[in-house]
Every structure is written in C-alpha cells, then in structure tokens.
Amino acid sequence: QFKAWLEQNRALAGFNLTESLVQQLFGDMEPHKKGYLTEVDWENAFGKFNWNTQKFDELKETILSNFANISAAFKYFAHCNDLGSTTVEHGDNAISYDNFCFAVRTVNPDRFSERDVKSLWDKFSRSGSLETVDLHRFKIVLGENCRFYGSASNFNKTTNATKRAQSAPMNAKREDVLDKLKHQIKASAKPLPEIFQEIDSDGSGKISALEFRHGIRKLGLALTSREIDDLLNRIDANQDGMIDYDEFQSKFKVKEVERRIESRSRTRLTKLKDQIYAYLLTPRDAFRQFDPDRKGILSFQAFTKMVN
C-alpha cells in the first residue's frame, strides 16, 4: 500500500529510489516494526514538513552538488532553454523565467510541477517583481557562503569535455568503480542495446551527462557526483560530452573469451552441484571435504581442487 501510494501521488518523483531504499524509508517511518503505518507514525514523520521549504532545499542541494561554483551554476541557468541544450536569451548576465523553468526541469527532471517551478521562481525574482535575475540576486537566494562540491558544470556539454580531460590520474578506486559498473551491466538479463536505450531517455542516440547521471543512480551503486563524472570521462572516448553506442559498447560488451570462460564456469558449477547431490552430501558436508582443518575458508588451491 505504501509503495502504491508513493507511485499514485508521485511523492518521490525524480529521486529514482531503488526497491531497497523504499523499504528502508518505510522502516524509518515505522520504528516499532509493526509492518504498517499508523496516523501517529505519519504525524511524527511529516508533522513539521513544509513543502515550500523542502522544494527550495532540494533545488539548492542539486545545484550545489552539480556545479563547481556559483558562476558555473548561474551561467548554466542563464543559458538553458531546453533539455540538455543551452542558448543565450538575455546574455550572460541575467536569468529569464523561461531559462529558469528549463534549467530546473533539467537538473530535477519530473520532480516539480509547473506551480512548484513558478513558486521557486518567485523566491528568486522577489515574487515576480524582477523580470530577470542577475548573479548578485542568484547569490543572495542560494546563500553567499554556500559550499559547492560538484564538477565544473555537469550539464554544460561544451565545457564538460575540457574539464573532465583535466581529471586526476587513474587510480585503484577509479578502476573499482568502473569494474563495479561493468559487473552490474553484465549481470543484467537485458541486452546491451536495451540498457543503452533506457539510459538514453530522450532517444537521441547519445547519452548526455544528465541522462548518464540518472542512469547510474537507478543502478543503486551509491557513487558520488565526482565518481559519476569520472566514469563519463572514461567512457566518452572522443570527449564531446556525450556517450554514443559505440563508446558504450566498447566498454561494456562481453568479449567472446569472457563469454566462453563464464559458460565453462557455469557448466563446472552445475556439474559440481550434481555431484554433491549424487553422493547425498549437503553443501556444508561437501565444503568440509576440502576443508579438513575446519577453518571455514578455502584457499585458492583447495578451491581449484574442488572444482576440478
């Protein structure tokens, strides 16, 4: 019922929470583990909730986490006129209402209604008394001393390639992140073209930085904005700020050698399972056949002996 209510009311629209996170949210709201929510639980969770404050906080957090500084954020908002594209309407020095609407819908897709966006604009434009918002006003509303922790501009395609090309040298952590993503994609039952099409939400044939960010978040890998940008940089071979299918495939397509190894491994494991049951052994008893010292672990040599 809780999940149905969330979907019906779009209460978490734009967050792309995984099933486990939704379950965790329910558990946090229901601390006594009854298996259902009471009116008291609901009141405790949302009694002090203020949507006007919440939606501004969400927009502010998105801006802080996706831009390196106030100037980069302002420039993007001043130029944004459509999903994933930018153009100059009032120059570099002002954000119009149309610019603002497109920018908000781009950085927080499917999250805010038209009324919500208008309310947010009123906060920046002094309830509509300003036709455009300049950098000074933009700073005041967001907070002069707010801390940005995103990259140079995760949504500016023309500058992304240059900024990402200057990223730090490759290290073990970066390898782990890419390997984790490769494993997730290879483990999927969906073919690679279908996965690409799901991430390419606008059907353009190329994955933008924004689409890539949302696609990664849907996988639930718990990566930081910096790590996601680093991944994009490593997959985007020609550094144009977009990932086409050839670039995507070159990183994640299962090679024939890997496919054969995986197939042989599955065959060996199936054979091992059959042998265990043929000798009427439980998995625990079979494990102990190769762990005579009862250490509870198998060395690589012992594991090799077992599967062979």
Side-chain angles (χ1 to χ4, degrees):
Q1 289 177 324
F2 179 68
K3 186 177 179 181
W5 180 85
L6 291 177
E7 293 175 352
Q8 181 179 351
N9 293 276
R10 303 182 73 251
L12 296 176
F15 283 99
N16 298 321
L17 297 186
T18 61
E19 183 74 23
S20 61
L21 287 176
V22 172
Q23 292 175 359
Q24 182 179 334
L25 174 62
F26 182 84
D28 290 341
M29 293 175 60
E30 196 271 289
H32 302 297
K33 310 306 176 187
K34 304 180 297 297
Y36 58 88
L37 295 175
T38 65
E39 185 175 346
V40 174
D41 293 329
W42 199 264
E43 182 66 26
N44 289 337
F46 300 113
K48 298 180 180 180
F49 180 78
N50 184 309
W51 175 232
N52 287 326
T53 301
Q54 176 67 23
K55 63 189 174 188
F56 175 73
D57 288 345
E58 286 183 20
L59 177 61
K60 180 177 178 179
E61 174 62 22
T62 301
I63 293 173
L64 296 181
S65 65
N66 286 293
F67 296 93
N69 52 57
I70 191 72
S71 297
F74 179 81
K75 182 178 180 181
Y76 178 79
F77 271 69
H79 288 193
C80 194
N81 83 326
D82 202 349
L83 178 62
S85 63
T86 57
T87 190
V88 178
E89 183 177 342
H90 293 278
D92 290 344
N93 302 319
I95 301 172
S96 71
Y97 175 64
D98 288 340
N99 292 147
F100 183 83
C101 289
F102 281 120
V104 170
R105 289 173 185 145
T106 302
V107 298
N108 283 96
D110 302 321
R111 178 58 182 157
F112 301 121
S113 66
E114 290 187 17
R115 180 180 296 181
D116 291 334
V117 177
K118 177 62 168 61
S119 173
L120 288 167
W121 171 251
D122 286 344
K123 188 174 183 68
F124 281 87
S125 66
R126 294 189 185 134
S127 299
S129 63
L130 299 176
E131 182 179 348
T132 59
V133 173
D134 60 17
L135 178 59
H136 178 67
R137 176 63 184 169
F138 196 67
K139 284 182 179 179
I140 290 176
V141 177
L142 289 178
E144 295 270 358
N145 299 317
C146 54
R147 177 176 172 271
F148 286 78
Y149 50 95
S151 62
S153 172
N154 294 325
F155 303 107
N156 191 328
K157 297 174 185 175
T158 60
T159 61
N160 248 3
T162 301
K163 297 296 181 181
R164 292 197 311 276
Q166 299 170 350
S167 23
M170 184 181 302
N171 54 39
K173 184 176 180 181
R174 293 173 64 194
E175 286 293 341
D176 289 344
V177 171
L178 182 58
D179 288 343
K180 188 185 295 186
L181 179 57
K182 285 181 177 179
H183 178 76
Q184 191 93 349
I185 290 177
K186 289 178 181 178
S188 173
K190 298 178 181 178
L192 201 60
E194 186 176 338
I195 295 175
F196 180 87
Q197 290 169 6
E198 286 185 358
I199 301 176
D200 176 25
S201 57
D202 65 358
S204 65
K206 292 187 176 183
I207 298 173
S208 67
L210 180 62
E211 290 171 331
F212 185 74
R213 173 176 295 278
H214 286 296
I216 294 298
R217 284 178 173 166
K218 284 181 180 179
L219 293 175
L221 296 179
L223 302 181
T224 65
S225 296
R226 189 179 298 277
E227 287 172 332
I228 295 175
D229 286 343
D230 184 58
L231 274 175
L232 177 61
N233 177 49
R234 296 170 66 187
I235 300 170
D236 178 20
N238 63 6
Q239 297 294 291
D240 65 349
M242 306 282 281
I243 298 174
D244 60 31
Y245 183 71
D246 288 339
E247 292 170 328
F248 189 79
Q249 180 180 240
S250 69
K251 285 292 183 183
F252 302 113
K253 184 179 181 180
V254 179
K255 297 178 181 178
E256 186 60 31
V257 173
E258 293 177 329
R259 196 184 302 277
R260 289 179 183 176
I261 293 174
E262 183 179 350
S263 176
R264 290 174 183 173
S265 298
R266 288 179 177 174
T267 301
R268 285 284 182 88
L269 289 174
T270 300
K271 183 178 179 180
L272 178 62
K273 181 179 177 181
D274 291 341
Q275 288 176 339
I276 288 175
Y277 289 112
Y279 288 96
L280 301 178
L281 294 173
T282 66
R284 183 184 297 274
D285 290 334
F287 183 90
R288 287 174 176 171
Q289 296 291 321
F290 299 90
D291 178 31
D293 298 329
R294 301 295 189 267
K295 294 179 179 179
I297 58 174
L298 289 182
S299 66
F300 178 74
Q301 290 79 5
F303 178 78
T304 301
K305 183 179 179 181
M306 180 181 69
V307 296
N308 287 331

